[in-house]
Amino acid sequence: MDEEYDVIVLGTGLKECILSGLLSVDGLKVLHMDRNDYYGGESTSLNLIQLWKRFKGNDKPPEHLGSSKEYNVDMVPKFMMANGALVRVLIHTSVTKYLNFKAVDGSFVYNKGKIYKVPATDVEALKSTLMGLFEKRRARKFFIYVQDYAEDDPKSHEGLDLHKVTTKEVISKYGLEDNTIDFIGHALALHRDDSYLDDPAIDTIKRMKLYSDSLARFQGGSPYIYPLYGLGELPQGFARLSAVYGGTYMLNKPECKVEFDADGKAYGVTSEGETAKCKKVVCDPSYLPDKGKYIAFVSTEAETDQPEMELKPGIDLLGPVDETFFDIYDRYEPTNNHEHDNCFISTSYDATTHFESTVQDVISMYRKITGKEPDLTVDLSAASAAAEDA
């Protein structure tokens, strides 16, 4: 502990482990600490005994559920876009060699009491029972426009400057119905609210292309892939990367108090009476709660004072279950100025179903910590091979 480091990272959540790995690869001396005795932080995967300890207060799950080690229950359930930013980071850092992946079977929407597969291409639009015959044709034309659109090819723009026209204006050109617009915006472009309709259309088109490209990458039934043994494998993979490049890990370290000098700048972390000194501190919100902003969320953002009831329609679709666990996660965003205190704090995980916003936060933090852009230019064919092997 009584050493000096370039960066001390507190918490072994996915964001912190990605940053620890990237910074170690850059040649920085990194100390990574966690108050828990396991990796993953909020994004950990729990076995059955750990799950019962956390939610039931004991370590004795019912015997009929089987062996504890056969379970890996994710605390922040998310998928990875097969052609997304996290896959690029995994390939760039070679963390893929520590992991196996499985393509997720399908992506669906619930509408008027029925479940429908999300159409993402012109061919799927024609087959979808989500739309009537004429709406299918209109949607098909829109999907063809999105698939053919190339930012550097004016011929594909059809006279529209997507950096200026809104999403609503582009969609209105194709005369799509409200239900179609709804699943395009939320099931394909993965927007969390309807404000995107008044924003420049370029973001929505790029999001739709990411969905479509991810769907095509592994020829699966959805654009998503998933670590074979749970999301807890991701932070552990980046922790291995950090260790390979000289990063030091210390789990089960109580308190982990960040020390500040007279100017309010972090200079070290104290645990069990010892202080490790550093130039910069990276942490999740739980280590510096007075520098974070509080937002409550569930697996979808709560809209009423009865979030459990909001989840009921989805839970009812599951059929018989042995146990149901309900939890509300606190969501924090840093309010400090890292230039003043040398503390780089990640935001909490949001309610999205994928890791795109997670990796964008990591890239932003990396940029602030190092003052440079990460090089994520990779050959994605390697990702295809990795998924096929899995």
Side-chain angles (χ1 to χ4, degrees):
M1 281 285 289
D2 294 321
E3 295 184 44
E4 185 158 351
Y5 298 85
D6 294 307
V7 180
I8 294 180
V9 180
L10 301 178
T12 53
L14 177 60
K15 295 182 182 181
E16 290 72 39
C17 285
I18 293 176
L19 283 166
S20 178
L22 292 176
L23 296 172
S24 295
V25 170
D26 272 357
L28 298 181
K29 187 177 181 181
V30 177
L31 171 63
H32 204 147
M33 303 169 66
D34 197 314
R35 62 172 73 95
N36 298 309
D37 59 359
Y38 55 83
Y39 290 96
E42 288 183 351
S43 56
T44 191
S45 300
L46 302 181
N47 62 35
L48 209 54
I49 290 176
Q50 293 169 328
L51 190 70
W52 241 253
K53 281 183 179 179
R54 176 162 177 170
F55 291 99
K56 302 291 189 180
N58 64 72
D59 59 358
K60 300 186 184 325
E63 291 185 5
H64 72 272
L65 293 180
S67 173
S68 173
K69 65 182 181 181
E70 293 181 359
Y71 290 80
N72 287 294
V73 182
D74 298 320
M75 293 296 96
V76 181
K78 288 178 178 287
F79 296 125
M80 298 165 56
M81 298 293 284
N83 208 39
L86 182 54
V87 170
R88 293 175 181 272
V89 171
L90 287 167
I91 297 171
H92 173 70
T93 56
S94 297
V95 171
T96 46
K97 65 186 177 184
Y98 303 124
L99 305 168
N100 291 308
F101 296 94
K102 178 177 176 57
V104 176
D105 291 337
S107 179
F108 303 87
V109 292
Y110 180 66
N111 184 45
K112 297 179 180 178
K114 294 184 178 180
I115 298 175
Y116 301 89
K117 188 179 186 303
V118 178
T121 65
D122 59 310
V123 175
E124 289 191 343
L126 285 176
K127 295 180 180 178
S128 175
T129 56
L130 189 61
M131 299 171 284
L133 177 61
F134 295 108
E135 183 68 358
K136 286 181 181 180
R137 292 175 179 174
R138 290 188 289 265
R140 179 177 180 271
K141 290 180 180 179
F142 179 61
F143 285 137
I144 289 175
Y145 167 70
V146 173
Q147 288 164 205
D148 292 344
Y149 180 86
E151 201 163 1
D152 58 354
D153 180 11
K155 292 181 181 179
S156 69
H157 298 179
E158 295 188 4
L160 298 173
D161 184 348
L162 299 190
H163 292 275
K164 295 181 179 179
V165 300
T166 66
T167 304
K168 184 186 298 182
E169 290 172 324
V170 173
I171 291 177
S172 66
K173 178 180 177 181
Y174 293 88
L176 300 179
E177 297 172 356
D178 288 343
N179 280 344
T180 306
I181 295 172
D182 198 40
F183 83 72
I184 285 175
H186 300 296
L188 293 181
L190 302 173
H191 288 292
R192 284 181 279 163
D193 54 47
D194 288 336
S195 61
Y196 75 94
L197 289 168
D198 298 314
D199 293 335
I202 186 66
D203 179 50
T204 295
I205 300 303
K206 285 184 176 180
R207 284 167 171 257
M208 290 182 67
K209 287 179 75 67
L210 172 60
Y211 189 102
S212 179
D213 291 345
S214 296
L215 186 69
R217 177 146 299 281
F218 301 125
Q219 303 296 318
S222 83
Y224 305 113
I225 58 174
Y226 189 81
L228 198 57
Y229 300 105
L231 294 176
E233 292 286 291
L234 292 173
Q236 290 190 55
F238 284 101
R240 293 188 190 103
L241 175 70
S242 177
V244 167
Y245 283 86
T248 301
Y249 274 77
M250 295 183 180
L251 299 181
N252 204 22
K253 300 296 290 185
E255 296 183 9
C256 291
K257 178 187 176 185
V258 181
E259 303 289 354
F260 295 89
D261 62 21
D263 296 324
K265 292 184 178 293
Y267 69 85
V269 175
T270 298
S271 177
E272 299 179 311
E274 295 182 301
T275 301
K277 295 182 178 180
C278 62
K279 301 180 180 70
K280 298 175 182 179
V281 170
V282 177
C283 64
D284 71 44
S286 68
Y287 287 88
L288 288 174
D290 57 327
K291 294 179 181 288
K293 184 169 68 174
Y294 171 91
I295 303 172
F297 76 99
V298 290
S299 59
T300 183
E301 291 188 3
E303 298 179 0
T304 71
D305 58 355
Q306 295 180 302
E308 199 162 4
M309 294 303 297
E310 294 180 46
L311 296 175
K312 190 175 184 303
I315 293 174
D316 288 344
L317 295 174
L318 300 177
V321 295
D322 289 304
E323 298 285 343
T324 299
F325 300 100
F326 174 76
D327 199 8
I328 297 176
Y329 293 90
D330 296 334
R331 186 171 189 271
Y332 297 91
E333 295 183 359
T335 58
N336 69 309
N337 186 330
H338 66 274
E339 294 180 350
H340 292 168
D341 58 18
N342 281 352
C343 293
F344 301 80
I345 310 172
S346 62
T347 62
S348 298
Y349 296 95
D350 57 35
T352 56
T353 58
H354 51 88
F355 280 110
E356 291 305 297
S357 58
T358 297
V359 179
Q360 292 308 317
D361 188 32
V362 170
I363 291 172
S364 175
M365 292 178 69
Y366 178 86
R367 188 185 297 122
K368 292 173 183 176
I369 295 167
T370 65
K372 62 182 183 181
E373 295 286 337
D375 179 12
L376 300 180
T377 304
V378 295
D379 178 7
L380 283 173
S381 61
S384 299
E388 288 168 3
D389 290 342

